[in-house]
Amino acid sequence: MDDRPEHVFYQIDLLKQLKLDVPQVVALVLRLRQQGIRLPDPIIHVEQCIDALTAVREEDYGTY
């Protein structure tokens, strides 16, 4: 696993095979994508997730 974190953290099967946990933010992003929410790649930090979700919300519903 000699790669950039944003690539390594999305190799879910390999992480599980190595008995490593999937980062919570990555698991959340994957679940949201399964629900049809369009999120950019890569998201590996909470701040990135917040920014992406805010952008999706504004895109769908506009700003306050």
Side-chain angles (χ1 to χ4, degrees), residues 1-3 8 11 14-15 18 20:
M1 291 198 334
D2 188 25
D3 206 343
V8 171
Q11 295 180 29
L14 180 58
L15 290 174
L18 295 171
L20 296 172

Side-chain angles (χ1 to χ4, degrees), residues 17-58:
Q17 180 183 358
L18 295 171
K19 300 194 185 314
L20 296 172
D21 289 331
V22 176
Q24 288 180 336
V25 71
V26 172
L28 174 62
V29 167
L30 293 174
R31 284 188 193 165
L32 292 171
R33 287 180 180 155
Q34 288 175 343
Q35 296 297 317
I37 297 175
R38 299 172 314 275
L39 296 171
D41 283 327
I43 295 177
I44 61 170
H45 299 288
V46 172
E47 295 82 12
Q48 292 171 316
C49 188
I50 292 168
D51 291 345
L53 289 170
T54 301
V56 167
R57 188 218 170 268
E58 289 174 355

